[in-house]
Amino acid sequence: MTKEMITTETPNWGLMPAAVITQLKKREWDNLPRLKARLKNERAFPIVISLKPPKTGNELLNHTLHFHEFVQAWRNFAFADMVQWQHNSFRHFSEQTLPITLTIPNIQALSEILGASARQQLKDWQKKLSYLHTEIAKGMTMSSANSTNKIADSWHENLFFALIDMLEVVDNLSADDLKLLVALIPQLKKGMGAGLYLRALPVCYVDTKFIETYHKLIETLLEAFYPGQIKEQGLAYWLGCLDKPKGWLMVRPLCPDTRYALSGLPILRLPIHVLHSQALPAKHILVVENEQSCLALPETENTIAVAGGGKNINWMNAGWLQKKTVAYWGDIDSEGLMILSRAREYCPKLTAIMMDDQTIKQFINRMVDEPDSINHEPTHLTHDELTLFTELRRGIYGFKRLEQERLPSEYIKQALEKWLDKPTPYSS
């Protein structure tokens, strides 16, 4: 019986390719901080991994089968040009040629070794990073040429590093989100939001929920162009935006006359019982499901917006409200349409705005899914609204929710103008 046959313990030398690949994936690819450092050349290539060849003749003698498997595995390795070999002499053995190290020269080679999934992931990263770097740089260069906000000379490298720092966020951006980001960054200027809430920033094409959702990414990218100006105090401060108010129902006058009638206050909070009994001094009342969307509303003649009630819209049975021109705007989903139905039960003549299939079709790429939280049909919807409710529940648009916050400012402005020009009260 040979020594090999009676030696059953696993030797602590001779790493096999599979073990090395597992180690690489854990230490280099799945370890995001280290991977980012590699991409930024803060942790330089090449990666050199010792294959732990045997050091003594006794190690070979005790595990000759493992030795032969070790050498043969690396001879057959698909990336043989990355394996370094060395001639060694051992007692009781003739000279042996051993695999000593695996040297990986760059990120592309690393992805190749790790297999199809890593190769595809790297390809996706490169495509997104290249697109963002090229298009944002182009937009910022043009913007800076026509602005007093001059960008840093080192922006090229800064932008690349910023994109790498936010790699996991960039990786999850859809094609549509990438376009929104490219369109947004050059529009943002220091102080442009003075006197405004973040959701009311005067930006084109991009909805302001996108800005709030990805504010850390946006901060990081802008910091590449304006070093030291943004991250410490935050994006909203740099833009000059007002802090988001907190409290009860939000009441926001949307024109100079209504602000004057409310003692010049641009925004205030009222408890529901006060709002129920106290008429607001405007011809038009716009009820908005979400406070953030209320902050995004443009100047609108003789109009006051009320927001933040969500499902709590009992105050809408107030007698004074029935004498006003009333509109309701909420999310386009089963829950939003259910709230609309309840609002119309309290205020039968209200008009729903931006809660129709036309809005869905125009912004279908901004839809998300919705849990099935509504188990019965609303009773106070128009025929078209009930059809939309049914279609959303059936999933014919792919997803079931279009949040009101995803609508861009120009679309909101046009919808409000249409409402004021041609109010279409519901007839019960």
Side-chain angles (χ1 to χ4, degrees):
M1 184 176 292
T2 66
K3 188 82 174 276
E4 175 70 21
M5 294 176 63
I6 63 173
T7 304
T8 59
E9 73 274 11
T10 301
N12 59 5
W13 55 267
L15 290 179
M16 293 297 192
V20 171
I21 290 171
T22 298
Q23 175 182 309
L24 279 170
K25 186 174 187 302
K26 180 179 179 180
R27 293 183 181 178
E28 298 288 347
W29 197 264
D30 294 340
N31 184 339
L32 201 55
R34 180 175 292 200
L35 180 62
K36 290 179 181 180
R38 294 283 187 196
L39 292 170
K40 292 164 65 175
N41 204 34
E42 294 172 349
R43 182 182 285 268
F45 280 94
I47 300 170
V48 180
I49 296 181
S50 170
L51 303 182
K52 296 185 178 180
K55 296 179 179 180
T56 67
N58 284 338
E59 288 180 331
L60 270 68
L61 189 62
N62 291 337
H63 296 281
T64 54
L65 180 58
H66 176 70
F67 172 72
H68 290 301
E69 290 175 344
F70 167 64
V71 172
Q72 193 61 43
W74 287 107
R75 283 177 179 164
N76 296 336
F77 188 55
F79 305 93
D81 58 323
M82 299 184 200
V83 182
Q84 289 71 52
W85 297 77
Q86 181 176 301
H87 298 295
N88 280 11
S89 297
F90 296 97
R91 185 180 179 186
H92 306 305
F93 289 87
S94 60
E95 186 176 78
Q96 303 291 322
T97 303
L98 306 177
I100 303 299
T101 56
L102 177 69
T103 301
I104 303 167
N106 51 48
I107 191 69
Q108 190 69 45
L110 177 60
S111 72
E112 291 290 336
I113 286 177
L114 294 180
S117 178
R119 288 196 298 271
Q120 185 60 51
Q121 190 168 37
L122 180 61
K123 184 178 179 180
D124 292 342
W125 287 341
Q126 290 172 331
K127 182 178 179 180
K128 288 183 175 181
L129 294 175
S130 176
Y131 170 75
L132 288 176
H133 193 281
T134 300
E135 296 303 318
I136 291 175
K138 187 188 304 179
M140 289 297 290
T141 301
M142 293 176 60
S143 175
S144 178
N146 301 306
S147 170
T148 56
N149 285 323
K150 299 301 180 184
I151 59 179
D153 293 334
S154 57
W155 66 263
H156 190 280
E157 183 178 74
N158 291 348
L159 179 58
F160 175 74
F161 283 1
L163 288 167
I164 295 301
D165 286 338
M166 301 301 293
L167 182 61
E168 62 272 41
V169 180
V170 171
D171 188 33
N172 287 320
L173 292 177
S174 68
D176 291 310
D177 286 340
L178 292 173
K179 291 177 183 177
L180 291 176
L181 188 62
V182 165
L184 173 66
I185 295 298
Q187 295 186 63
L188 300 180
K189 310 294 180 188
K190 184 176 182 180
M192 69 179 290
L196 301 173
Y197 297 97
L198 183 63
R199 288 301 183 90
L201 272 182
V203 293
C204 295
Y205 181 67
V206 183
D207 59 275
T208 48
K209 182 174 184 179
F210 179 86
I211 299 176
E212 187 171 90
T213 300
Y214 294 106
H215 72 280
K216 286 297 182 185
L217 171 61
I218 295 164
E219 281 180 359
T220 303
L221 297 184
L222 285 172
E223 185 79 12
F225 295 95
Y226 309 111
Q229 296 186 35
I230 300 165
K231 277 194 170 183
E232 185 174 344
Q233 292 181 300
L235 177 64
Y237 182 88
W238 183 76
L239 293 168
C241 292
L242 299 171
D243 291 334
K244 175 185 171 183
K246 301 175 182 179
W248 305 318
L249 285 180
M250 178 188 293
V251 176
R252 185 178 174 219
L254 298 181
C255 70
D257 289 342
T258 52
R259 281 193 289 274
Y260 178 81
L262 290 173
S263 302
L265 297 172
I267 197 166
L268 63 154
R269 296 281 186 175
L270 292 175
I272 289 176
H273 73 275
V274 171
L275 193 59
H276 185 273
S277 60
Q278 179 63 51
L280 294 176
K283 180 180 178 181
H284 311 295
I285 304 297
L286 174 60
V287 182
V288 184
E289 179 182 343
N290 188 291
E291 287 187 357
Q292 296 288 6
S293 297
C294 184
L295 296 178
L297 294 170
E299 291 274 314
T300 307
E301 183 182 356
N302 207 351
T303 302
I304 292 178
V306 180
K311 297 178 183 179
N312 192 356
I313 41 82
N314 296 352
W315 68 272
M316 291 186 68
N317 66 359
W320 66 265
L321 192 62
Q322 314 311 314
K323 302 173 185 178
K324 307 286 187 178
T325 301
V326 182
Y328 183 84
W329 176 35
D331 292 336
I332 309 179
D333 58 10
S334 61
E335 189 168 278
L337 289 166
M338 180 63 75
I339 297 172
L340 169 61
S341 174
R342 291 186 57 222
R344 192 176 276 125
E345 181 180 1
Y346 294 126
C347 187
K349 294 183 179 181
L350 71 77
T351 298
I353 60 172
M354 295 176 283
M355 297 184 73
D356 50 36
D357 63 344
Q358 176 184 333
T359 303
I360 285 277
K361 290 171 182 175
Q362 187 162 343
F363 301 101
I364 194 168
N365 61 344
R366 302 185 187 187
M367 293 184 72
V368 295
D369 216 348
E370 177 199 24
D372 292 329
S373 58
I374 304 299
N375 298 316
H376 57 280
E377 284 191 353
T379 55
H380 290 76
L381 297 181
T382 66
H383 177 269
D384 288 345
E385 290 163 356
L386 188 56
T387 299
L388 179 59
F389 176 88
T390 303
E391 290 175 344
L392 286 168
R393 292 300 299 272
R394 287 168 50 201
I396 71 166
Y397 298 104
F399 291 102
K400 298 181 179 181
R401 169 182 289 165
L402 176 59
E403 296 168 304
Q404 60 182 152
E405 301 163 279
R406 296 308 309 270
L407 303 185
S409 56
E410 61 267 29
Y411 187 82
I412 297 170
K413 187 174 187 297
Q414 291 168 5
L416 292 177
E417 290 172 349
K418 182 177 179 181
W419 168 52
L420 294 185
D421 287 343
K422 294 182 179 180
T424 54
Y426 170 79
S427 180
S428 59

